[in-house]
Amino acid sequence: MYKYMFKQFLRTNTCKLGLFLVLILGVISISIGKQFLKGQERIGSHVTEKQLEHIQRNVELHSEDIGLLLYYLKFAVISEVSPLAALSIGQKDVNPSVQSVSILTLEGQKYDSDLVNPTKLLFGNLDLSFILLYVFPLLIIAFTFSLKSEEEETGTWRLVRIMSKSRLQFLLAKLSVRVILLLLAMCILFVLAGLILSIPFGMAFLAFFVTGLLYILFWFSLSFWIISLKRNSSFNALALLSIWLTLVVLLPATINNFVVTKYPVPEAFTTNIKQRDGYHQKWDTNKRETMEKFYARYPQFESYGYPPEEGFNWLWYYAMQYLGDEESSKESEMMRTKILQREQMSRKWGQFIPSIHTQLAFNDLANTSLSNHMYYLQYLNDFHEQTRLYFYPKIFSNVNGKEVDWSQFTPGYFSLSSKVNFRQIFLPLIILILIFFGLSLLNMRRESRVY
Amino acid sequence: MINIQQAHKAFKGKPAVQNLTLQVEQGEILGLLGANGAGKSTTINMLLGFLKPDSGTISVLEKDINQSSKELRKHIGYIPENVNLYPYLSGLENLDYFCRLSGLKYTKSELQEFLNICGLPSEDHQQKVAEYSKGMRQKVGIAIAYAKKAKVYLLDEPASGLDPRASNELSVLLKKLASEGATILMASHDIFRVREVCHRIGILRKGELVKELRSEEVSANELEKIYLEYIQN
């Protein structure tokens, strides 16, 4: 029976065209991911090479004045990109993977990012997660909307009713043919992705695959529920397309709008103003007052004393720079908290909206989520502080630049290896699949009781 | 084997079948004659369990169709007026597919034999049904019903679209099935075919069985006269 169901379905133009399109789009998305990874690798190796040159050049020029030397020197922190990021680029296209910072005020430097063509950002990324989230559900709708109604509309249903042992089993068999074909297409894409992108077969990759699989099964269960309502093909198609539009476009946009309104981030602007004011006002403030604030935070440097009020001094200059950050730290922290609150709120809603949940899960697994970037910024803070604290005594005692071991200043690397929380990722999708599948079975059983 | 007692069915208040009582015994072929809208298809649909009668009882093989329709369908072969098949499969594949749906597995040569018996030439067996004529589809439909080896056959204009030769082959087949013990109820407009094949004939008018007679009691011409008389009245 299955043999004929496969034959019958594979011979239809809908099936041929649908599978061809999804495979072609999938391959394109993988090659886009490959380009993204290559770009990230290129930037990483370029930064390592250039940082060494940059330090050598500046040491040659300013070794006698280490304060000036450190004014120019920048140190890169690279957020390591997992190969899975090629499948779900997530926030990586707007949030940089490399930040080069000097030991001056940090806040302003955090947002000095790569130049990205805004038109490219507008188009978004056609990565594999996009294909799974947007294209696969459309294909599922195209493959299933007339699962039963086409039998009724073409007149084969009467013979099926007489000949088949169970109508429910017949429909489930028909559905499973479509499930198998689409899952096969998904498997082919994952195998290709694994080979082309050299993704190691680990827990994250497995979780990524299972999440995609569950998302597809969710759409099948939803479609089966609509089919079980026993309406005609045009009703089914219209209902399923409306649901697709709602779940994939309308609700995510509405929730995004809600979250942005609920947690406004005016701090994004005030942080910069505070930091700039915090620093600039120090030019007109007594040096002693500035130094007292600096020593209150770093008493270990108090032995360097207070510079004269007249004239320029690197000790005072770097204290001013630091205080710019300190005076904007409250706003900076508030901004961070609100951004994380936005993310948390999205996750909460996402538990009920599979498209959001799946996208967030993909980004988490690929380390391309917003929270991943926030961890990276936190790491950048720590890196900045460690670098400052290493150089402060050298600047304050005006060590010759050539005496510093610069070879240790290769770019810092940030990588986040979080444990995959299978329950948190899979459970919402499994529950929704069971609900819709259960409702479909109830409808089908009710129907078989009433003819 | 088929027993309808005082069955009544109306659609939106308009009766399609009224107080219908009829029986068909094992090995017997009953032909139902009637104009369009006389209630032939409604009767068959009620026997198939596709429609529930508003009142009255319908039983097949001594079992109430309303209570055991699912179980009874295993024993019912059905040929509709328009046999609709899967266009992307061949006639042979359609036959095998429907047989497998019923849990029947035949060899390729057995399936070909069924199609040959039902008048579909061997060279057409592998052709896709999309390229079939109505008559060819009808022959596959007959083969599907025949292959089921059912105890009861319900035929709704089975010869529709068949050429005279195929129609004659169908008559032979139905007689053979009846002689093997099958119970057959056939609805048709074709007076001559009904008289030739059926043991008994019933005439339906506006959902009522207005006349019942044995086919050996009348000639084809007499039957036509009786039929027209009842229909015109």
Side-chain angles (χ1 to χ4, degrees):
Chain A
M1 182 176 82
Y2 277 97
K3 183 177 84 177
Y4 292 117
M5 283 183 168
F6 272 109
K7 259 190 185 179
Q8 205 177 301
F9 187 57
L10 282 169
R11 285 173 184 173
T12 61
N13 290 336
T14 315
C15 175
K16 285 180 204 162
L17 189 69
L19 288 178
F20 174 75
L21 273 179
V22 85
L23 287 173
I24 288 290
L25 282 172
V27 170
I28 291 171
S29 75
I30 293 167
S31 73
I32 286 174
K34 178 82 177 168
Q35 280 174 20
F36 166 77
L37 274 190
K38 269 189 175 174
Q40 295 294 316
E41 278 167 22
R42 202 170 44 240
I43 291 170
S45 59
H46 190 71
V47 163
T48 311
E49 194 185 307
K50 289 289 167 188
Q51 178 161 314
L52 199 68
E53 278 177 33
H54 165 72
I55 291 174
Q56 279 172 353
R57 196 171 57 245
N58 279 285
V59 169
E60 286 303 318
L61 289 169
H62 309 294
S63 61
E64 297 300 321
D65 187 352
I66 194 166
L68 185 63
L69 176 60
L70 266 305
Y71 175 86
Y72 288 117
L73 286 189
K74 288 203 168 197
F75 305 94
V77 180
I78 300 170
S79 173
E80 280 187 311
V81 177
S82 143
L84 270 180
L87 304 185
S88 182
I89 296 170
Q91 301 270 329
K92 281 281 177 197
D93 53 355
V94 282
N95 294 324
S97 296
V98 179
Q99 286 284 40
S100 285
V101 292
S102 68
I103 62 168
L104 305 178
T105 314
L106 176 64
E107 278 307 323
Q109 299 184 72
K110 275 185 188 171
Y111 308 100
D112 286 345
S113 173
D114 309 340
L115 280 176
V116 180
N117 185 344
T119 317
K120 197 181 160 213
L121 288 180
L122 189 69
F123 291 150
N125 287 303
L126 185 83
D127 54 15
L128 192 61
S129 73
F130 177 86
I131 305 294
L132 287 168
L133 284 161
Y134 290 79
V135 181
F136 266 83
L138 280 177
L139 211 56
I140 292 168
I141 292 170
F143 281 9
T144 57
F145 79 98
S146 59
L147 191 82
K148 185 186 168 206
S149 48
E150 74 175 351
E151 302 272 355
E152 288 171 331
E153 287 155 17
T154 57
T156 47
W157 187 237
R158 289 170 77 86
L159 267 184
V160 168
R161 282 179 76 175
I162 285 294
M163 300 299 286
S164 69
K165 288 177 175 172
S166 154
R167 276 174 280 167
L168 178 62
Q169 276 175 20
F170 171 79
L171 289 175
L172 284 175
K174 269 192 91 175
L175 186 76
S176 62
V177 165
R178 282 137 181 90
V179 172
I180 289 167
L181 284 175
L182 275 183
L183 289 185
L184 197 68
M186 192 188 102
C187 288
I188 291 171
L189 291 178
F190 270 84
V191 169
L192 284 178
L195 294 174
I196 294 171
L197 305 169
S198 311
I199 302 172
F201 186 79
M203 279 300 170
F205 189 45
L206 180 71
F208 201 102
F209 176 80
V210 178
T211 308
L213 185 138
L214 288 174
Y215 181 71
I216 285 177
L217 289 180
F218 158 74
W219 275 98
F220 270 110
S221 66
L222 182 67
S223 298
F224 198 51
W225 175 62
I226 294 290
I227 292 160
S228 75
L229 297 177
K230 255 182 77 182
R231 305 294 290 267
N232 58 34
S233 297
S234 27
F235 172 87
N236 292 350
L238 194 68
L240 284 166
L241 284 175
S242 307
I243 293 172
W244 178 83
L245 201 66
T246 308
L247 284 184
V248 177
V249 181
L250 203 64
L251 278 176
T254 309
I255 287 167
N256 181 47
N257 199 20
F258 168 74
V259 167
V260 169
T261 315
K262 188 170 167 69
Y263 300 109
V265 190
E267 293 83 1
F269 179 64
T270 53
T271 305
N272 269 328
I273 300 291
K274 279 262 182 183
Q275 171 257 308
R276 290 179 74 84
D277 280 355
Y279 160 66
H280 285 293
Q281 281 168 7
K282 300 294 175 293
W283 286 96
D284 304 321
T285 311
N286 285 336
K287 286 193 175 78
R288 190 171 183 89
E289 196 181 316
T290 302
M291 291 315 298
E292 276 169 356
K293 283 184 183 168
F294 179 71
Y295 289 145
R297 174 68 183 87
Y298 297 116
Q300 67 267 40
F301 301 125
E302 213 164 351
S303 59
Y304 291 101
Y306 294 87
E309 288 297 329
E310 293 302 315
F312 180 82
N313 181 285
W314 283 119
L315 169 60
W316 164 69
Y317 181 78
Y318 281 101
M320 277 200 305
Q321 289 286 339
Y322 163 71
L323 290 173
D325 273 342
E326 195 183 71
E327 289 184 20
S328 60
S329 62
K330 201 176 146 196
E331 278 74 14
S332 176
E333 187 51 36
M334 276 174 74
M335 183 168 89
R336 182 183 145 79
T337 309
K338 284 191 178 172
I339 289 173
L340 289 174
Q341 277 175 335
R342 282 181 175 184
E343 172 111 331
Q344 272 174 357
M345 182 58 85
S346 303
R347 281 179 197 282
K348 220 177 250 182
W349 281 100
Q351 289 181 334
F352 307 100
I353 301 158
S355 52
I356 297 179
H357 176 78
T358 309
Q359 180 69 77
L360 290 173
F362 281 159
N363 290 352
D364 280 341
L365 293 166
N367 282 338
T368 55
S369 64
L370 183 60
S371 51
N372 180 271
H373 185 67
M374 298 312 284
Y375 286 124
Y376 170 61
L377 288 182
Q378 186 58 48
Y379 181 83
L380 193 66
N381 274 347
D382 299 341
F383 173 85
H384 185 257
E385 183 168 33
Q386 280 170 20
T387 315
R388 274 191 294 118
L389 293 178
Y390 176 81
F391 283 113
Y392 277 167
K394 293 186 170 32
I395 297 167
F396 300 162
S397 51
N398 199 21
V399 168
N400 188 298
K402 287 189 174 161
E403 286 174 27
V404 177
D405 174 18
W406 295 104
S407 63
Q408 63 182 303
F409 290 99
T410 51
Y413 279 90
F414 164 75
S415 66
L416 189 71
S417 56
S418 49
K419 212 178 156 191
V420 179
N421 188 338
F422 287 98
R423 201 178 67 173
Q424 198 183 337
I425 297 175
F426 300 157
L427 200 61
L429 289 170
I430 291 173
I431 289 173
L432 286 169
I433 292 169
L434 291 177
I435 288 174
F436 282 110
F437 205 66
L439 287 174
S440 315
L441 290 183
L442 276 178
N443 283 345
M444 293 279 182
R445 284 191 192 284
R446 201 178 300 142
E447 187 213 334
S448 71
R449 252 182 261 130
V450 194
Y451 288 83
Chain B
M1 297 298 273
I2 294 176
N3 191 359
I4 303 177
Q5 291 295 327
Q6 297 290 313
H8 186 90
K9 179 73 190 173
F11 297 105
K12 291 180 182 171
K14 196 181 168 194
V17 167
Q18 303 183 71
N19 299 321
L20 180 68
T21 296
L22 61 84
Q23 290 87 34
V24 191
E25 299 303 324
Q26 187 179 1
E28 189 183 28
I29 308 175
L30 173 74
L32 280 182
L33 283 173
N36 291 333
K40 304 186 297 290
S41 296
T42 306
T43 306
I44 286 184
N45 282 336
M46 287 194 294
L47 282 164
L48 287 167
F50 293 168
L51 288 174
K52 192 176 180 180
D54 299 332
S55 62
T57 57
I58 296 178
S59 63
V60 174
L61 300 169
E62 319 296 333
K63 283 181 182 160
D64 191 328
I65 190 84
N66 297 329
Q67 278 151 25
S68 356
S69 67
K70 202 172 162 185
E71 194 202 324
L72 280 174
R73 278 183 199 144
K74 287 181 208 164
H75 305 292
I76 296 175
Y78 169 57
I79 305 172
E81 182 179 359
N82 291 305
V83 174
N84 292 298
L85 302 165
Y86 295 102
Y88 293 106
L89 299 180
S90 68
L92 192 76
E93 287 171 334
N94 264 287
L95 175 60
D96 195 16
Y97 178 52
F98 278 109
C99 287
R100 280 168 194 269
L101 280 182
S102 308
L104 300 165
K105 283 178 191 167
Y106 292 112
T107 61
K108 193 178 173 187
S109 58
E110 284 171 325
L111 293 167
Q112 283 172 328
E113 183 61 22
F114 288 135
L115 288 173
N116 287 334
I117 289 170
C118 296
L120 190 74
S122 303
E123 61 267 26
D124 296 330
H125 291 184
Q126 304 288 355
Q127 211 177 315
K128 276 187 189 166
V129 162
E131 294 156 18
Y132 276 17
S133 67
K134 185 179 185 293
M136 288 160 88
R137 287 202 309 273
Q138 206 67 18
K139 288 171 188 173
V140 178
I142 296 165
I144 291 168
Y146 178 56
K148 197 174 177 184
K149 296 197 184 330
K151 290 179 182 167
V152 175
Y153 287 89
L154 301 171
L155 321 176
D156 194 356
E157 304 283 0
S160 167
L162 293 183
D163 55 59
R165 187 177 157 193
S167 202
N168 189 54
E169 281 167 356
L170 173 65
S171 303
V172 173
L173 183 69
L174 293 179
K175 282 178 185 169
K176 182 175 173 267
L177 287 170
S179 68
E180 288 166 0
T183 306
I184 302 171
L185 183 119
M186 179 167 92
S188 180
H189 297 289
D190 188 342
I191 297 164
F192 300 99
R193 185 69 54 201
V194 166
R195 193 208 155 268
E196 184 202 335
V197 178
C198 303
H199 299 112
R200 280 191 301 129
I201 302 157
I203 299 173
L204 280 175
R205 193 186 65 195
K206 292 181 182 173
E208 277 185 283
L209 187 67
V210 288
K211 180 77 179 169
E212 219 180 326
L213 52 135
R214 298 199 67 80
S215 53
E216 72 260 20
E217 291 168 1
V218 286
S219 68
N221 286 341
E222 284 166 344
L223 178 61
E224 188 179 22
K225 273 183 194 166
I226 296 167
Y227 173 69
L228 289 173
E229 196 178 300
Y230 275 97
I231 295 305
Q232 279 158 10
N233 283 344

